[in-house]
Amino acid sequence: AQGFAKLAEVRRDSVLYPDALWRATENSYRGHDFPTALVHLDEFLKEAAASMRPVALVLKGQILLDLDRVAEAEES
């Protein structure tokens, strides 16, 4: 996850930036690092294509539930 986060930083001005953020989010989530996954996901949502927003918002809800932030998860 940290590797993809660093890759995202390097690609900040590239069209590949959202993909690197998504991979960092997924790997942080799989590693149960939910706070970091949420940070990456929020950044991803700023850059994401419209077609990826629904999937990203569902994942955001799952992450928020894992963080016991139920009210925010319901909003997501």
Side-chain angles (χ1 to χ4, degrees):
Q2 292 175 354
F4 282 111
K6 289 178 183 178
L7 182 61
E9 285 302 313
V10 171
R11 293 181 170 175
R12 183 172 287 278
D13 296 326
S14 168
V15 295
L16 301 174
Y17 179 59
D19 182 57
L21 279 173
W22 181 254
R23 291 177 187 270
T25 301
E26 285 184 316
N27 284 288
S28 295
Y29 182 73
R30 287 183 189 142
H32 296 262
D33 184 358
F34 304 123
T36 301
L38 187 58
V39 169
H40 293 311
L41 186 57
D42 284 338
E43 189 65 28
F44 173 80
L45 283 166
K46 294 176 189 174
E47 305 288 331
S51 62
M52 281 298 294
R53 288 192 61 77
V55 174
L57 290 172
V58 168
L59 181 56
K60 183 173 182 172
Q62 291 174 331
I63 292 169
L64 289 168
L65 285 174
D66 288 325
L67 292 169
D68 292 323
R69 293 164 55 179
V70 177
E72 290 174 80
E74 289 173 345
E75 290 175 18
S76 182

